Amino acid sequence: MNMRVKGERAFKVVGTRPPRPDGVDKVIGRALYGADVSAPGMLTGHILRSPHAHAEIVSIDTSAAEALPGVKAVITSGDFGVPEDSALRDVQDHCMARGKVLYDGHAVAAVAATSPAVAKAALKLIKVEYRKLPHVTDVDEAMKPDAPVVQSGLVHETVAPGFSENVTSYCEFGHGDLEAGFAKADRIIERSFTTAATHQGYIEPHACLASMNADGKADLWCCTQGHYHVRAVCSAILGMEASQLKVTASEIGGGFGGKTTVFIEPVALALSRKSGRPVKMVMSRDEVFRATGPTVATSTDVKIGMTKDGRITAAEARLRYSGGAFPCGTVEMGAQAAFAPYDLDAVRTYGWNVLTNRPKEASYRAPGAPQAIYAVESVVDELCLELGLDPLDVRVKNAAQKGTLSSYGPTFDDIGLMATLEAAKAHPHWSAPLGPNQGRGFSAGFWFNFGGNTCVTLNINTDGTVSVTEGNPDIGGSRASISQMAAEELGVPYEKVRTVIGDTTSIGHSDITDGSRVTFAVGLATIKAARDAIQKMCSRVAQIWGIDEEAVVWEDGYVKPASPNAGDFKPMSIEEIAAISFQTGGPIAGHHEVNAEGAGVSFGVHIADVEVDPETGATKVLRYTVFQDAGKAVHPDYVEGQMQGGAAQGIGWALNEEYIYGEDGRLQNPGFLDYRVPVASDLPRIEPVILEIPNPGHPYGVRGVGETSIVPPLAALSNAVSRALGVRMTRLPMSPPTILKAVSAAGV
Amino acid sequence: MRYEKPESTAEAVRLLANEAGLARVLAGGTDLLVQMKSGMVEPDLVVDIKQIAGMRTVTPEAGGFRIGAAVSGAELGENAEVVAQWPGVVEGFNLIGSTQVQGRCTMAGNLCNASPAGDAVPSLVAANATARVAGPNGERDVTIEQIPVGPGRISLAKGEFITSIFLPARPARSSDAYLRFIPRTEMDIAVASAAVNLTLGEDGTVTAARVAVGAVAPTVRLVEPAAQALIGTKLDEDALAALAAACSAAANPINDKRGTIEYRTHVVGVLAKRAALIAYERAGGRK
């Protein structure tokens, strides 16, 4: 078989903006989310949670709850085993406390009952005796040698002495001679920054329906970004073989990384196992805030040296991240990403992970990178101000390019940073005038992107239409993009293709929908699966025509004779080939499985204009523009949506969103009233500018676009506010009291 | 839990007075139902007052307006006469919650919820409004500032509930304004707030003033020295500075997740200045 593509690919379907296949169901309320399915005889599951930040569980008496009519099962950590694998043990212990509660809201017991009222009444009958322990929720406090120890025995050998046991791991990245680099600088600035933990704020709370039968087979329906991961973790915790647990991913009401792990799913399965009935669990918003996975809280020092003409001579960062009560590796991603946009001769980053009495961090869009790049881009901006340099010119002067040895090790291939910088410089936003109390901030951003394991089956139906089955929950319009790539490759209209997300029994393993990987990796596998189907169609036609496979060619959705020498045959369409497939060897399907590499890193730069009310500290975002390299934008609406969505969330982090802990270590704001996600009227129109620097690792040049957009807003906003006030802001969020305090401290 | 929907004030009073357990009055329910859902309160009796005559009407009375206890924010916002006379009262009331909440929430409910940050309350205090309270001993009229006694606590006795709120008649060249500070632009709770009610003389000099501040003390406060700072002036810089200083001096706030003592004390003065200028312009004053 030959693939005939003339010159540079002219896309027909990729790059257009067709309606998403899940759109109508979602608009009319028919889409089935996590809480939307029921089963005969179903029970409702509720969880009893710790009111303490840190306490030993002396005893749990569930007898009164068990005796309440309507209660069918009560479980505690004793109903689970103790996994040998430490990562799995952490997941399980986060779902149900074992021995100690490690944060406010930590689950200690669960009830399955015939109604929510009975379940709630039963929770009140469970008697838990706690012995309160000293707690720590602040990352810097937790590192001190005399800090209360959250969990002991977890310190990795890389950690130098002198810290408390809460410091569990250390990492270091970089190259070059820092001392020599700083010696060449005309100006060195060193500052410390902090960022608060934030929550993904997805509208749909975690929800699931679990049903385990007496024969050990189980079904689980849940909202998740990765049902194969849910299967792996839940089957291991429940001591089942993976094949006996079928997991179906529901439609998902937002994930942003927060639905990449399990919280209630193993609990629902255990309740179902114990009660012999299906069990549905739906978290309240309070539970979502207290006991799922927000981001790390961070504390970072950055030191950068620059020459008078804006060349960075040396740069270093010390990052202290806390991902809550369990070890996490997010600081490593921060330490790798911190200086990625720069081409540096001398750079070093050091990172420490720190335990605190907070829920275990989960991913949130580019985990670890926004906090690190916020600190770096703030110092670069301050150097520009002090040296009287244009912040965009300075980024251009130091920009990483193809061939740059990155600060974290790899040498960059084709990357789009310079293109985004040039686009920003040329955009009217950059030169628009500003009024009183207004400031303009700029920041670059970066994310690694990921490929990973993917399985795709593409069936040619007998009417010539196409069914694609893949294994990645659609959190950003990916079904549309996958259908577009299948249609593009097969030369059929978009409307002829339907992409569905299979359950764990209907297609092989797919990694979690994370790392901005789906359009890249599933798209790549879909294109390859389409090519597999094309090969089979060519083979069938060659067989019909009685000529060699080498003598047919695939072109524009038809099998044709490769040349006049091959014979005079009328080209056959997919419809014609499909219609007679039963006579030519049976159904036609393409398949592809891959551990995709070559995801291609992603850069974006943002410009933000703000106005700060000097009397109240209120910040209004006046104008916002995002420039990002998409490689190839398969569905530009959804690429723009990712760029705008990340910016909107980043603006929230920058201005008001934060986990606020009281002196008692309890979360003070577990709800959308006091955890302040921006509302629509808080945001200006966010203008997206898509750049397309093709990724050599994908047949169409696609790069992931989902995460980079949350990286620059923190520094873009902080730099804008700092310039508007004439005071350097060093902590997020920049809530109005924080801003007024900084202004009054500076005596402006 | 029992749910009752009486058709007379007397019947409502009898139900409330005779309940041995916890009784709650239901008007819009935008606080009560949320509190019940979250388990904060578990009443034994809920008395829905919406079927009682007069609860959902706005009636002109003695040159002012009598506003039934169950009149919603959306309804009052569409009453052109009340909006013209008391724009500050209506704008405070209309800031509560979302569009959906506005369809149900009530001023009397906001008052009886007794949050120091209630958006309907400072303007009512500044307006010198009164609440009519029905109870086992008949009816009485009470000034607004006498109703709340602390966060979540009110002065009403067992069996009593508010049946209406009265906005008095006012002279020519009078108006009012309300401002609150929230970190967002919508859907939030006041970190500090101020209401200013002014009457001007023919030359634009302030002849009467009432100033109330919210979210900076256990209850909404009427600030007499703030009013005195404005009377006899045309809101010159000195008068506004004195107003702000008086409001900040009257503030006795707490540190919490929504703001610091320092921040609230400062910002309440800023809000009072800005609200005074709006009220002045609405009353026909020219700066």
Side-chain angles (χ1 to χ4, degrees):
Chain A
M1 174 200 83
N2 302 296
M3 302 285 291
R4 193 175 286 170
V5 180
K6 301 172 193 108
E8 194 173 323
R9 182 154 200 145
F11 291 106
K12 290 179 180 160
V13 185
V14 164
T16 63
R17 302 170 186 245
R20 60 196 294 163
D22 48 316
V24 171
D25 276 357
K26 285 178 175 167
V27 169
I28 66 176
R30 194 172 286 168
L32 296 175
Y33 291 91
D36 289 333
V37 296
S38 297
M42 183 177 84
L43 304 174
T44 183
H46 283 241
I47 290 178
L48 183 68
R49 298 186 179 278
S50 167
H52 305 299
H54 194 193
E56 184 188 326
I57 301 171
V58 178
S59 65
I60 306 179
D61 180 357
T62 60
S63 56
E66 282 162 6
L68 186 70
V71 172
K72 302 297 180 187
V74 182
I75 61 167
T76 64
S77 64
D79 290 82
F80 298 94
V82 182
E84 275 180 37
D85 177 77
S86 66
L88 186 66
R89 200 164 60 233
D90 285 351
V91 172
Q92 181 183 308
D93 289 349
H94 192 15
C95 292
M96 189 63 69
R98 191 166 46 87
K100 279 210 306 187
V101 290
L102 301 172
Y103 56 91
D104 166 49
H106 201 167
V108 291
V111 168
T114 48
S115 76
V118 173
K120 281 184 189 168
L123 292 186
K124 289 185 181 171
L125 295 173
I126 298 173
K127 294 182 198 75
V128 185
E129 189 188 338
Y130 295 102
R131 189 173 67 83
K132 279 177 72 174
L133 300 168
H135 64 269
V136 61
T137 55
D138 178 81
V139 58
D140 290 314
E141 290 298 318
M143 293 179 81
K144 292 178 180 168
D146 58 348
V149 174
V150 178
Q151 292 202 73
S152 58
L154 300 176
V155 179
H156 193 265
E157 62 196 13
T158 52
V159 180
F163 299 112
S164 78
E165 268 196 271
N166 296 321
V167 180
T168 55
S169 64
Y170 169 77
C171 63
E172 193 176 322
F173 299 91
H175 57 254
D177 185 342
L178 280 182
E179 203 176 326
F182 282 119
K184 286 185 219 155
D186 293 311
R187 182 79 178 89
I188 296 169
I189 288 181
E190 186 169 10
R191 280 209 183 264
S192 298
F193 300 85
T194 61
T195 67
T198 56
H199 195 274
Q200 299 83 357
Y202 33 78
I203 291 300
E204 184 198 18
H206 299 262
C208 68
L209 172 65
S211 180
M212 191 180 284
N213 295 331
D215 63 3
K217 286 200 275 292
D219 285 285
L220 179 65
W221 163 276
C222 61
C223 69
T224 176
Q225 290 175 237
H227 43 307
Y228 295 87
H229 178 72
V230 170
R231 180 178 69 171
V233 171
C234 288
S235 61
I237 288 175
L238 275 290
M240 305 169 65
E241 287 177 352
S243 62
Q244 300 309 303
L245 175 60
K246 174 182 152 191
V247 183
T248 308
S250 70
E251 287 295 334
I252 186 167
F256 312 107
K259 291 176 181 167
T260 56
T261 183
V262 297
F263 301 108
I264 52 175
E265 294 80 359
V267 178
L269 283 163
L271 285 169
S272 179
R273 177 168 65 184
K274 196 161 184 176
S275 65
R277 305 257 293 260
V279 175
K280 181 148 120 183
M281 299 187 78
V282 182
M283 274 187 160
S284 66
R285 184 62 60 189
D286 176 275
E287 289 181 290
V288 170
F289 275 109
R290 289 167 74 204
T292 63
T295 66
V296 288
T298 75
S299 165
T300 297
D301 312 323
V302 170
K303 180 180 175 187
I304 299 176
M306 195 179 274
T307 61
K308 277 181 204 157
D309 63 349
R311 178 71 188 142
I312 297 173
T313 59
E316 69 175 333
R318 295 169 192 279
L319 305 103
R320 300 169 291 272
Y321 282 22
S322 178
F326 300 89
C328 79
T330 301
V331 71
E332 291 178 30
M333 291 195 269
Q336 291 180 75
F339 292 104
Y342 295 100
D343 179 8
L344 302 172
D345 293 333
V347 57
R348 204 78 84 245
T349 56
Y350 319 90
W352 292 266
N353 178 69
V354 186
L355 303 182
T356 51
N357 291 110
R358 295 166 174 249
K360 180 179 163 68
E361 169 251 23
S363 295
Y364 182 175
R365 234 174 179 150
Q371 297 89 343
I373 287 182
Y374 151 67
V376 168
E377 290 293 84
S378 294
V379 173
V380 171
D381 189 62
E382 192 172 358
L383 282 162
C384 292
L385 266 174
E386 294 218 351
L387 294 168
L389 300 168
D390 178 279
L392 230 165
D393 290 344
V394 167
R395 263 69 170 208
V396 169
K397 197 177 199 84
N398 295 282
Q401 301 188 63
K402 184 172 185 173
T404 294
L405 171 63
S406 71
S407 55
Y408 62 97
T411 298
F412 287 132
D413 199 336
D414 288 320
I415 56 171
L417 177 59
M418 194 60 91
T420 59
L421 289 168
E422 284 164 0
K425 181 98 183 163
H427 195 279
H429 187 172
W430 186 244
S431 49
L434 289 168
N437 300 317
Q438 296 179 0
R440 175 166 300 142
F442 180 87
S443 176
F446 159 86
W447 185 243
F448 305 94
N449 288 342
F450 181 58
N453 295 293
T454 302
C455 243
V456 170
T457 291
L458 183 151
N459 291 295
I460 308 293
N461 302 315
T462 51
D463 63 354
T465 60
V466 179
S467 297
V468 178
T469 305
E470 46 116 342
N472 276 101
D474 176 357
I475 61 171
S478 60
R479 274 169 292 194
S481 303
I482 300 306
S483 291
Q484 283 179 281
M485 285 185 270
E488 184 75 49
E489 197 64 26
L490 291 166
V492 301
Y494 168 79
E495 294 72 23
K496 298 279 185 194
V497 184
R498 183 170 181 191
T499 298
V500 299
I501 293 134
D503 61 57
T504 53
T505 62
S506 56
I507 182 139
H509 175 93
S510 287
D511 286 344
I512 298 169
T513 296
D514 68 2
S516 299
R517 62 175 290 275
V518 173
T519 309
F520 166 74
V522 182
L524 182 147
T526 300
I527 292 164
K528 299 276 178 75
R531 290 178 184 172
D532 186 31
I534 288 168
Q535 168 139 34
K536 287 168 184 165
M537 288 190 282
C538 286
S539 165
R540 299 287 177 93
V541 172
Q543 177 194 322
I544 294 165
W545 289 342
I547 62 177
D548 281 353
E549 276 185 44
E550 297 303 312
V552 303
V553 68
W554 176 263
E555 193 175 48
D556 298 332
Y558 284 83
V559 178
K560 301 174 179 175
S563 71
N565 298 340
D568 183 17
F569 301 104
K570 184 169 171 281
M572 287 187 78
S573 68
I574 290 186
E575 283 88 349
E576 292 166 325
I577 300 165
I580 57 167
S581 61
F582 293 179
Q583 287 85 55
T584 62
I588 298 168
H591 191 79
H592 193 73
E593 55 271 310
V594 65
N595 185 355
E597 294 183 353
V601 298
S602 166
F603 287 91
V605 302
H606 294 195
I607 308 172
D609 291 357
V610 303
E611 182 170 320
V612 184
D613 182 335
E615 288 189 311
T616 65
T619 300
K620 183 175 168 58
V621 185
L622 302 170
R623 186 172 181 180
Y624 203 99
T625 312
V626 178
F627 306 84
Q628 191 173 320
D629 170 20
K632 175 68 197 171
V634 177
H635 194 306
D637 274 357
Y638 304 147
V639 172
E640 289 166 359
Q642 294 290 343
M643 292 161 71
Q644 293 168 320
Q649 289 184 316
I651 290 169
W653 292 25
L655 295 183
N656 282 303
E657 292 184 39
E658 63 178 317
Y659 264 48
I660 303 169
Y661 282 92
E663 289 294 315
D664 58 0
R666 300 193 66 185
L667 184 62
Q668 300 290 298
N669 56 337
F672 280 136
L673 179 57
D674 286 305
Y675 181 86
R676 290 186 171 77
V677 174
V679 297
S681 53
D682 291 333
L683 298 170
R685 177 175 180 268
I686 295 166
E687 183 186 343
V689 179
I690 300 174
L691 284 297
E692 294 186 320
I693 292 83
N695 170 20
H698 186 277
Y700 297 169
V702 168
R703 292 176 201 272
V705 295
E707 292 170 285
T708 299
S709 55
I710 204 170
V711 180
L714 283 60
L717 267 284
S718 185
N719 292 341
V721 169
S722 300
R723 284 170 179 260
L725 294 171
V727 178
R728 179 56 48 181
M729 300 300 295
T730 59
R731 85 173 257 215
L732 298 184
M734 297 179 289
S735 61
T738 305
I739 286 180
L740 272 202
K741 198 171 172 186
V743 169
S744 89
V748 175
Chain B
M1 187 198 84
R2 286 188 303 134
Y3 170 79
E4 298 281 357
K5 204 159 61 173
E7 292 184 359
S8 72
T9 299
E11 176 64 4
V13 167
R14 193 189 63 77
L15 286 163
L16 292 167
N18 291 347
E19 174 58 42
L22 183 65
R24 279 283 189 271
V25 174
L26 174 68
T30 55
D31 285 311
L32 179 62
L33 297 187
V34 176
Q35 289 164 3
M36 286 169 64
K37 273 198 170 177
S38 70
M40 275 172 66
V41 291
E42 294 179 347
D44 301 290
L45 171 69
V46 170
V47 176
D48 184 342
I49 60 170
K50 287 194 286 294
Q51 301 304 309
I52 300 170
M55 291 295 159
R56 303 197 57 188
T57 55
V58 178
T59 316
E61 180 182 315
F65 301 96
R66 184 159 296 284
I67 299 162
V71 170
S72 73
E75 284 166 336
L76 199 67
E78 289 176 3
N79 188 310
E81 288 102 62
V82 178
V83 171
Q85 290 279 308
W86 296 100
V89 169
V90 177
E91 75 189 343
F93 188 14
N94 284 169
L95 281 173
I96 297 170
S98 59
T99 300
Q100 294 91 329
V101 168
Q102 278 292 312
R104 301 199 73 87
C105 68
T106 67
M107 289 198 290
N110 195 232
L111 182 57
C112 290
N113 191 50
S115 161
D119 283 312
V121 182
S123 296
L124 288 174
V125 170
N128 206 11
T130 53
R132 180 157 291 170
V133 176
N137 300 321
E139 287 187 333
R140 61 190 177 105
D141 289 336
V142 186
T143 62
I144 297 297
E145 52 268 42
Q146 285 177 286
I147 300 285
V149 295
R153 293 186 298 118
I154 54 175
S155 60
L156 300 194
K158 185 170 174 64
E160 286 190 325
F161 72 103
I162 294 176
T163 58
S164 64
I165 286 172
F166 180 67
L167 289 168
R170 60 192 333 199
R173 292 181 300 281
S174 298
S175 199
D176 62 342
Y178 172 76
L179 286 176
R180 66 172 182 182
F181 184 82
I182 55 172
R184 287 187 289 207
T185 48
E186 289 280 353
M187 303 289 291
D188 220 323
I189 302 257
V191 177
S193 64
V196 178
N197 177 21
L198 299 176
T199 298
L200 312 186
E202 280 186 20
D203 68 344
T205 302
V206 176
T207 56
R210 281 173 70 90
V211 177
V213 295
V216 290
T219 61
V220 170
R221 286 200 171 168
L222 181 68
V223 189
E224 292 283 1
Q228 292 307 320
L230 300 180
I231 292 169
T233 78
K234 294 182 178 179
L235 302 198
D236 53 89
E237 287 296 319
D238 288 350
L240 290 172
L243 164 73
C247 289
S248 293
N252 179 25
I254 55 168
N255 280 322
D256 72 0
K257 60 199 171 191
R258 293 178 189 143
T260 58
I261 291 170
E262 183 188 10
Y263 183 79
R264 287 182 155 120
T265 304
H266 170 73
V267 169
V268 73
V270 174
L271 296 171
K273 277 197 296 187
R274 293 178 180 182
L277 289 168
I278 296 168
Y280 189 77
E281 196 183 322
R282 285 176 179 168
R286 294 222 181 95
K287 293 292 290 177

